[in-house]
Amino acid sequence: MSRAARFAERTARLRASTIREMLKVTQQPDVISFGGGLPAPELFPTTEIADATRDVMNEYGAAALQYSVTEGISEMREWVAARLSRRFDRSFSADGIVIVNGSQQGLDLIGKIYIDPGDHVVLENPSYLGAIQAFDAYQARYLTVETDDGGMIPESLERVLATADPFPKFVYLVPNFQNPTGRTLAAQRREPIVRICERFDLPIVEDDPYGELRFDGHDLPPLVSYASQATILYLGTGSKIMAPGLRVAWLLIGHEDVLEKIVLAKQGADLHSGSLAQYVFHRYASRTDAFEAHVGRIVETYRRRRDVMARALHQALPRGTHFVRPEGGMFLWVRTPGIDTADLLRVSAERKVVFVPGASFYPAHDVHDGMRLNFSNASEEMIEVGIERLGLAIRACPPAGGS
Ligand SMILES: Cc1ncc(COP(=O)(O)O)c(C=O)c1O
């Protein structure tokens, strides 16, 4: 073996993700992709960001291009603290905020400070693939909690924790419009989950990139809003409400020692997140009326796309398949009992429509009939055409194990 390929043991589980591989196929112009998790690019506030960049350069000049503090610029941390305090009806201090390079970096840093090889992490089943990838790099093992249309089931969490050996380092969950299923953790399960974790002294990683993209119903209190002794690391991001290319996201941590470790881990990773992106994000987001109107446009557009996709699926899906209509977010989850969606992807790609097969979202890769459909990126017309193609592909796909 070439010495260049003598990698550290922790790289053994690093594999190209199905999603990234598939995004390559979808570069072809005639393929309709429900695969990536991309926001609608036509909604990016390009003019406003250009204006904000000019304003920042005029006002801060070289300071916006200089090295900066690891925690993030104070303006951005104050903005996050104020927004979370308003949304969650609880007072949060900017001192507890660290600006990270996408919430994906937050997940990596959490893995870095908590996970030794072989440590357990508790996950929903299925769970966000990017989190599994981040924790895989630290050689985590997973304990999964039973999950239904109301998200993680508290009694199952309790059972898992009561028998876990070694005891897990933390539980990771996406409570709102989860990636991949679009499910939301039911209101009546939220406090019980916090109390169970409090009782077992288990840190909670609450990843909430989609919470602001609610189309129906009312916002539910995040886990971090409960007065509790539980240590909660809350992750939010600008990726879905402004633009993912800025890589501006935030970690809210109430526990001082945990915060300090995260800051030290981030120092080693990148010293700090890009200052210019933070200044620009802050400048635009501080124009409150314009920014709220912008978030409102995203919600309206995605709600219509969700509706079009749900209607099209009702018409196109054969009997026996079913889907969950999410109340927000960017994803819709379909089950095709008896059909392996990895096989289906091959059939559907020939018909020029792609999605993400579900198996990779299950830590044990043991469920093969799920698929994740993204509805934020394609136009309403494309969604209609794509779902019709998908319905035909499902009818044409041989059942799993069949000849
Ligand atoms: C559940 C979840 N967490 C984290 C991320 C990463 O987001 P960011 O762009 O903030 O790194 C995503 C992106 O799709 C996601 O779905």
Side-chain angles (χ1 to χ4, degrees), residues 87-249:
R87 284 185 57 220
F88 301 161
D89 202 17
R90 191 184 158 187
S91 172
F92 296 105
S93 156
D95 295 340
I97 308 283
V98 183
I99 303 300
V100 284
N101 206 34
S103 33
Q104 191 64 34
Q105 184 188 41
L107 295 172
D108 178 61
L109 297 176
I110 290 167
K112 199 171 189 176
I113 69 162
Y114 276 118
I115 303 170
D116 282 322
D119 274 350
H120 278 146
V121 170
V122 180
L123 298 178
E124 294 165 282
N125 201 24
S127 198
Y128 168 52
L129 180 58
I132 298 175
Q133 280 186 312
F135 305 150
D136 271 355
Y138 297 100
Q139 298 166 278
R141 290 183 296 159
Y142 304 107
L143 298 170
T144 53
V145 175
E146 283 169 46
T147 314
D148 62 15
D149 286 350
M152 189 176 265
I153 300 172
E155 294 74 22
S156 171
L157 173 64
E158 196 159 16
R159 273 196 302 276
V160 166
L161 297 184
T163 53
D165 182 23
F167 193 75
K169 288 293 181 72
F170 58 86
V171 53
Y172 167 81
L173 75 177
V174 181
N176 296 313
F177 326 123
Q178 193 229 23
N179 180 358
T181 61
R183 287 167 175 157
T184 291
L185 181 62
Q188 68 275 16
R189 289 185 181 173
R190 294 184 175 224
E191 186 166 3
I193 286 181
V194 173
R195 298 294 162 225
I196 291 167
C197 293
E198 189 172 55
R199 193 149 41 79
F200 281 90
D201 194 17
L202 179 73
I204 301 172
V205 176
E206 178 174 27
D207 187 8
D208 189 23
Y210 305 108
E212 296 214 37
L213 305 183
R214 176 173 274 284
F215 316 146
D216 316 314
H218 301 289
D219 285 340
L220 302 179
L223 305 184
V224 76
S225 69
Y226 290 95
S228 158
Q229 296 298 315
T231 299
I232 303 183
L233 291 80
Y234 175 91
L235 270 166
T237 180
S239 291
K240 321 296 173 178
I241 52 174
M242 195 176 301
L246 289 172
R247 307 312 290 136
V248 174

Side-chain angles (χ1 to χ4, degrees), residues 233-295:
L233 291 80
Y234 175 91
L235 270 166
T237 180
S239 291
K240 321 296 173 178
I241 52 174
M242 195 176 301
L246 289 172
R247 307 312 290 136
V248 174
W250 40 91
L251 240 178
L252 166 69
I253 306 175
H255 193 298
E256 264 182 45
D257 296 344
V258 180
L259 184 83
E260 191 188 327
K261 284 282 187 226
I262 287 283
V263 170
L264 290 172
K266 183 168 165 65
Q267 236 161 49
D270 62 359
L271 301 181
H272 64 84
S273 296
S275 320
L276 181 58
Q278 295 181 63
Y279 278 109
V280 169
F281 188 111
H282 172 258
R283 173 59 58 120
Y284 175 46
S286 301
R287 290 177 47 212
T288 309
D289 291 346
F291 183 61
E292 293 309 339
H294 166 69
V295 176

